[in-house]
Amino acid sequence: MRRLAGLLVVPLLLLSTAACGSDDKGSDSASMKNGLPAITAGEKFGEKPTLAKGEGDPPKELKVNVISEGKGAVTKKGDALQVNYLGQAWDSTTPFDNSFDRGQPFDLTLGAGQVIKGWDQGLEGQKVGSRIEIGIPPELGYGAQGQGDIKPNATLVFVVDILKAVTIPKSATGTPVAQDDKDLPKVGTNTDGKAPSLTVPKTDPPTKLVSNYVLEANGEAVKATDTVVVNYVAALWKDGKVFDSTYTTGKPANFPLEQLTLKGLKNGLVGKKIGSRVLIVAPPSEAFGNEEKQGIPKNSTLVFAVDILTKM
């Protein structure tokens, strides 16, 4: 099954790759604190930090230091998190990436494998509003292959501000809306967290974007600047064949709408209420046009059943 998410969102930080560690504090110095590189400037939550270069041997296990503890909820697997971060290799004084300069926090679902293992493990059990520093050995980072400017077998150090954590519902809810247009696909109305049925009629597809409620909730309307957490089933109109589904992995997707490259999906979600299930039919002009994408034929009309679970 093709993964559609990579076609939809312009990546910012490509963190994904195919027992928390020691409490040993290590020796402190001007450039080291509690066994990890010291923050030499911008130490407060919300400030862009500057990290010293690591001294001596890096930790062989995941190491997490709480720089300042927040007063919010404790993060748990399955939460949608929003964070700011700065990442640097142990043996470097130059960050390889940070969200502070972009002015755009990073969104992830904790424990969903969207990020390296060191992040999933290091961020779990921390309070919202905290600043933490994480030392990540290669096997919990990018391993022997490296990634971009990150060398193979690099130990990584991140400073992370946990801005927000949201519990993700298992399903859309709301009032079923009549699906009485025989020329449009029909979507199931189950709310048990399993994939809804999606049946495409054997008729000509619409030439304009369709965005209809299947289940209408009472949440606030989605804005074009929101990041939404969704489950979806995606199919081709031509044969009704499902080509992607978040339900197969059990892991919702995070869609920063400003970065969605599939216009019909973005336009179909904006204005709809959080907590709802929506049918979206995107004609080629609102999808991938005359380009073939990962086996999706050119000039394809795409059909989506989308649960808008929450937003960040």
Side-chain angles (χ1 to χ4, degrees):
M1 187 171 288
R2 306 173 191 91
R3 296 305 301 159
L4 185 61
L7 299 176
L8 301 177
V9 180
V10 179
L12 291 177
L13 175 65
L14 299 178
L15 281 170
S16 298
T17 62
C20 286
S22 168
D23 289 331
D24 294 342
K25 292 187 176 180
S27 58
D28 288 353
S29 68
S31 59
M32 295 290 290
K33 188 172 183 179
N34 294 338
L36 292 177
I39 300 175
T40 58
E43 187 171 1
K44 293 181 180 179
F45 183 93
E47 297 178 343
K48 179 185 174 182
T50 300
L51 275 175
K53 181 179 179 180
E55 287 185 353
D57 293 333
K60 295 182 179 179
E61 297 181 323
L62 183 71
K63 185 168 181 59
V64 181
N65 291 341
V66 177
I67 306 301
S68 60
E69 187 174 65
K71 297 181 180 180
V74 175
T75 61
K76 61 185 184 300
K77 283 184 180 178
D79 282 352
L81 301 189
Q82 186 172 80
V83 304
N84 272 320
Y85 68 90
L86 178 139
Q88 187 167 300
W90 178 272
D91 58 357
S92 175
T93 57
T94 304
F96 55 78
D97 193 16
N98 84 90
S99 65
F100 294 92
D101 287 346
R102 286 192 294 270
Q104 175 65 53
F106 182 72
D107 300 302
L108 67 139
T109 299
L110 192 58
Q114 296 174 350
V115 292
I116 54 176
K117 291 179 180 179
W119 266 47
D120 269 341
Q121 294 179 20
L123 290 171
E124 185 179 356
Q126 305 295 336
K127 292 183 179 180
V128 174
S130 296
R131 165 166 286 195
I132 64 173
E133 185 176 7
I134 313 174
I136 302 177
E139 60 270 22
L140 297 179
Y142 295 104
Q145 74 271 23
Q147 173 88 17
D149 293 334
I150 300 171
K151 298 176 182 178
N153 297 311
T155 294
L156 308 178
V157 183
F158 286 91
V159 177
V160 184
D161 287 352
I162 305 173
L163 306 176
K164 188 184 296 186
V166 179
T167 299
I168 302 174
K170 69 177 182 179
S171 173
T173 55
T175 304
V177 176
Q179 303 178 66
D180 48 13
D181 189 335
K182 63 181 178 58
D183 293 327
L184 288 179
K186 300 296 184 290
V187 180
T189 57
N190 57 298
T191 58
D192 55 3
K194 297 180 180 179
S197 59
L198 178 59
T199 305
V200 181
K202 296 185 182 302
T203 58
D204 290 336
T207 58
K208 294 183 179 181
L209 179 69
V210 173
S211 176
N212 294 341
Y213 283 114
V214 176
L215 297 172
E216 184 174 2
N218 295 318
E220 62 182 288
V222 173
K223 300 188 293 292
T225 54
D226 285 340
T227 292
V228 292
V229 182
V230 301
N231 271 325
Y232 64 84
V233 178
L236 298 174
W237 182 286
K238 181 178 179 180
D239 54 13
K241 184 177 180 181
V242 173
F243 63 85
D244 193 17
S245 172
T246 57
Y247 296 93
T248 60
T249 61
K251 298 172 182 177
N254 293 2
F255 285 166
L257 294 184
E258 287 186 309
Q259 297 160 35
L260 279 183
T261 58
L262 202 161
K263 184 169 64 170
L265 189 55
K266 175 180 179 178
N267 292 341
L269 291 173
V270 170
K272 291 297 187 283
K273 297 174 185 177
I274 300 294
S276 299
R277 177 171 298 160
V278 181
L279 166 70
I280 298 174
V281 182
S285 61
E286 300 258 359
F288 299 123
N290 60 4
E291 297 182 33
E292 185 271 341
K293 293 280 190 179
Q294 291 190 7
I296 298 172
K298 63 182 180 180
N299 297 317
S300 288
T301 296
L302 307 183
V303 184
F304 300 89
V306 185
D307 279 14
I308 312 171
L309 299 174
T310 189
K311 76 167 191 173
M312 296 306 301

